[in-house]
Amino acid sequence: MKLEQIQEIANAVLYEGYLLYPYRQSAIKNRTRWTFGVVYPREYSEANGGIDPWTMRTECLVEGSADETELDIRVRFLHLLLRTIVKQGSTTQHAEENAKEWSLAGRLADEPLQEGMEREVSALNLPLSEALAQPRRVPIEFPTSRMAEHPASAPGTEIMREQHAISGAFAISARQLDANLFKLTIEIENTTPETGIVTSRRDAILFQSFVSTHTILQVRQGAFISLMDPPGDLQRFASECQNMSTWPVLVGDEGEHSAMLSSPIILYDYPQIAPESPGALFDGTEIDEILSLRILTLTDEEKEQMRQDERAREILERTEALTPEQFMKLHGTIRDLRPIGEGGEG
């Protein structure tokens, strides 16, 4: 399966719950977002008694050869940023205050928009023999950033996007279990410093957390083993894999064993994006047809609020452009037909 197809499925995980209907920040259920797959800073986690995890661990089985098998490991997550609108005349003071007060906690009360920036850190073409010899440790480092935009449609207004620095690493290791069987371990750690004092504001600490964290694993000259339905002779090894805050499943076409997605959301092997879906809606608890129809009933004011977020704006524009034929594809889709057995049982 091509990486682009795997990433399409991974992005469904990445943005699950990113912004829910009615797709505006003022809605109560959108004031705190991204509750899946959060890897919190270690200092914050330990100061809170370890309730919020600062690590995520994937363990899975791979068949192959120590000398020939190669791995590609990609760790992906959202890095939260704060989007505020600054009026002319207050920009300099605003920026100076932000530079001194990087907790951001006090400004959350003003309900500025929270957005997420995709982050990816990878280890490619890693020989299995190297992971067997010693763990490969890959740093995760993204600095403080401040980005300003001056929209032509609003003269005298500056849109400021600001992020905390975050840091950590992920480690890849392997252990031989049998002649051609290996256990692969990927452990992700958030070690962002100076976070132990923020103990009562989970919404604030999200700015220094890895959010919607997941791992894409690919193998060459080897094969991953399903942990959900392992072959009988491998069930014992599969049961001994210990995954923390994540669940690895096979991805690709049915029967392929070259890729896995380790997701903070429980999935079955070979998850698929519905071919009828015109695009991501972020809300896994609803169906496309209902959400699309609801979006069309929003008021002009609600739609304007929706346009404030880039991805919500994409949803609105895509929905408003749907043709009647595309709507019909969303209605009444049947995946499988099978005969009803005797006595009315399927």
Side-chain angles (χ1 to χ4, degrees):
M1 189 178 196
K2 293 182 179 179
L3 178 61
E4 293 77 11
Q5 295 171 290
I6 298 172
Q7 286 180 328
E8 183 180 10
I9 297 168
N11 283 343
V13 172
L14 186 67
Y15 289 104
E16 174 74 15
Y18 171 84
L19 189 64
L20 307 177
Y21 176 85
Y23 298 110
R24 47 187 170 82
Q25 182 71 14
S26 58
I28 293 176
K29 60 183 176 180
N30 285 323
R31 292 177 186 173
T32 301
R33 299 185 276 177
W34 306 304
T35 56
F36 295 105
V38 180
V39 181
Y40 296 88
R42 179 174 183 173
E43 290 183 12
Y44 167 84
S45 174
E46 292 179 344
N48 280 276
I51 297 174
D52 300 310
W54 63 275
T55 64
M56 175 182 283
R57 183 175 65 240
T58 294
E59 289 191 348
C60 61
L61 302 177
V62 59
E63 288 183 326
S65 163
D67 298 326
E68 298 179 1
T69 301
E70 287 189 340
L71 302 161
D72 290 343
I73 309 296
R74 294 175 171 84
V75 171
R76 306 172 77 240
F77 57 90
L78 291 177
H79 184 183
L80 201 63
L81 60 84
L82 194 71
R83 176 185 181 274
T84 52
I85 298 177
V86 184
K87 300 298 183 181
Q88 189 174 26
S90 62
T91 303
T92 302
Q93 179 184 357
H94 179 82
E96 290 176 352
E97 289 176 353
N98 290 344
K100 294 176 182 177
E101 276 185 37
W102 249 125
S103 72
L104 296 180
R107 294 168 55 210
L108 293 178
D110 299 328
E111 293 188 12
L113 290 176
Q114 300 174 27
E115 297 177 355
M117 178 178 290
E118 294 180 24
R119 298 297 197 187
E120 180 177 307
V121 182
S122 60
L124 306 180
N125 304 311
L126 175 65
L128 179 58
S129 58
E130 183 177 325
L132 286 166
Q134 62 180 12
R136 163 77 76 88
R137 191 169 178 85
V138 181
I140 299 173
E141 299 284 348
F142 293 99
T144 297
S145 68
R146 184 175 295 112
M147 300 160 282
E149 175 187 347
H150 300 87
S153 59
T157 298
E158 182 177 65
I159 298 176
M160 188 76 71
R161 290 180 170 87
E162 302 162 282
Q163 284 179 310
H164 274 301
I166 54 175
S167 60
F170 72 91
I172 308 165
S173 60
R175 182 164 64 92
Q176 188 162 3
L177 302 177
D178 208 343
N180 297 305
L181 183 68
F182 305 85
K183 178 187 287 188
L184 185 63
T185 301
I186 297 94
E187 186 142 13
I188 304 167
E189 302 174 352
N190 183 342
T191 55
T192 304
E194 301 178 5
T195 58
I197 60 173
V198 185
T199 58
S200 61
R201 291 295 301 275
R202 184 173 297 185
D203 52 355
I205 203 63
L206 286 177
F207 289 93
Q208 294 171 290
S209 302
F210 310 158
V211 180
S212 296
T213 312
H214 59 279
T215 306
I216 297 174
L217 306 89
Q218 293 177 282
V219 63
R220 288 181 295 279
Q221 301 299 315
F224 289 113
I225 303 300
S226 169
L227 297 186
M228 299 191 71
D229 187 23
D233 58 335
L234 299 181
Q235 287 182 359
R236 175 173 64 86
F237 297 113
S239 66
E240 293 173 352
C241 290
Q242 297 182 5
N243 288 279
M244 186 186 337
S245 303
T246 189
W247 292 267
V249 297
L250 294 169
V251 288
D253 295 327
E254 191 84 25
E256 289 186 343
H257 291 263
S258 62
M260 272 193 148
L261 171 63
S262 189
S263 161
I265 301 171
I266 298 175
L267 302 171
Y268 291 101
D269 284 336
Y270 307 113
Q272 299 292 327
I273 301 295
E276 300 83 8
S277 178
L281 288 165
F282 308 143
D283 196 330
T285 63
E286 299 285 354
I287 60 175
D288 289 27
E289 182 183 26
I290 293 175
L291 281 174
S292 298
L293 291 171
R294 285 178 173 176
I295 290 168
L296 294 178
T297 65
L298 294 175
T299 66
D300 290 341
E301 181 181 356
E302 289 172 327
K303 289 180 179 179
E304 186 58 35
Q305 291 183 40
M306 191 174 174
R307 290 187 181 95
Q308 300 306 306
D309 182 277
E310 179 182 351
R311 291 180 180 84
R313 183 169 63 250
E314 291 174 359
I315 291 175
L316 177 61
E317 293 174 350
R318 183 178 66 238
T319 302
E320 291 184 326
L322 287 175
T323 64
E325 291 76 18
Q326 289 171 317
F327 263 111
M328 286 301 298
K329 288 182 179 180
L330 301 180
H331 183 70
T333 298
I334 299 175
R335 296 287 178 217
D336 297 294
L337 288 175
R338 56 193 175 93
I340 299 176
E342 293 183 6
E345 296 183 358

